[in-house]
Amino acid sequence: MVKDKGAGERLLEGPTKTGQSWVVDLDAGTVAALRGYRAARGGRALDLLRDSALVLSHLDGTHRHTERFSRRLAGHVVQARKSLGEERLPVIRLNDLRHTHATLLLAAGGPVRVVSERLGHANATITLTVYQHVHPGMGRRRRPLRRVARRLTRTAKYQSGITRVLGPAHGSVPGS
């Protein structure tokens, strides 16, 4: 999204800043969930089944406005916190999910270069600067990893509660 002073906003599609394509590896479970999501949306609008269709578009295929998408997610989080209990679900913004993902990868011992590429940073120095709070040896300590695993397991247990609050289309695939 590009904001031009006095001219409003416009969506700019094209190459990345580096001019190279950006590929993000996904695990099999995420790919299966996204395929299921695409199939469900395809039942409403066949145009959304094509491979080039945007994953998080409106039903007519147009882009979702990023700020509205973030506000919608925030509203779902508030609703889920009320239903599940505020102490069970932290307040989290859309961009916080990106930071959490990067921090967990680095804390688990993921190579900085791989995390940097996954985030789309121009170089690993940017990643090291932003995530310098993640201690390099943290990935070798078992206690933090067990804590993360327990938290993820607890989160999975509450998934059915989130689905009840948000509805099946929203609870099964984030951002739908």
Side-chain angles (χ1 to χ4, degrees):
M1 186 67 61
V2 177
K3 295 182 181 183
D4 294 322
K5 191 172 184 176
E9 299 173 337
R10 60 189 166 93
L11 182 69
L12 181 66
E13 278 190 86
T16 61
K17 291 177 188 174
T18 62
Q20 297 178 354
S21 59
W22 181 20
V23 176
V24 177
D25 294 324
L26 299 173
D27 62 282
T30 301
V31 171
L34 289 171
R35 285 186 175 144
Y37 176 71
R38 182 171 69 172
R41 284 180 47 125
R44 294 188 196 170
L46 290 177
D47 229 16
L48 298 174
L49 284 174
R50 60 184 175 21
D51 286 340
S52 62
L54 298 171
V55 174
L56 299 175
S57 68
H58 291 288
L59 286 177
D60 65 0
T62 59
H63 292 88
R64 288 184 186 221
H65 191 283
T66 54
E67 289 175 16
R68 288 188 191 134
F69 186 72
S70 293
R71 272 186 262 146
R72 184 174 180 192
L73 176 66
H76 289 314
V77 169
V78 167
Q79 191 177 14
R81 290 186 78 212
K82 284 180 184 176
S83 177
L84 299 173
E86 293 185 6
E87 70 284 349
R88 290 185 169 175
L89 187 64
V91 174
I92 192 161
R93 301 167 302 147
L94 186 59
N95 202 48
D96 293 336
L97 297 174
R98 172 184 168 88
H99 291 303
T100 300
H101 178 66
T103 301
L104 290 173
L105 287 173
L106 291 168
V112 174
R113 180 155 178 97
V114 171
V115 175
S116 178
E117 289 173 2
R118 188 168 184 86
L119 295 174
H121 290 163
N123 57 58
T125 304
I126 295 169
T127 308
L128 286 170
T129 302
V130 173
Y131 298 99
Q132 63 185 337
H133 63 281
V134 182
H135 188 271
M138 188 183 261
R140 289 185 220 111
R141 296 186 201 146
R142 298 216 183 273
R143 186 178 294 155
L145 294 176
R146 281 195 299 262
R147 272 191 238 134
V148 168
R150 278 196 307 267
R151 179 166 282 194
L152 292 174
T153 301
R154 277 185 273 156
T155 301
K157 288 179 184 176
Y158 297 117
Q159 181 66 36
S160 61
I162 292 171
T163 302
R164 280 194 298 276
V165 171
L166 302 179
H170 296 303
S172 57
V173 179
S176 56

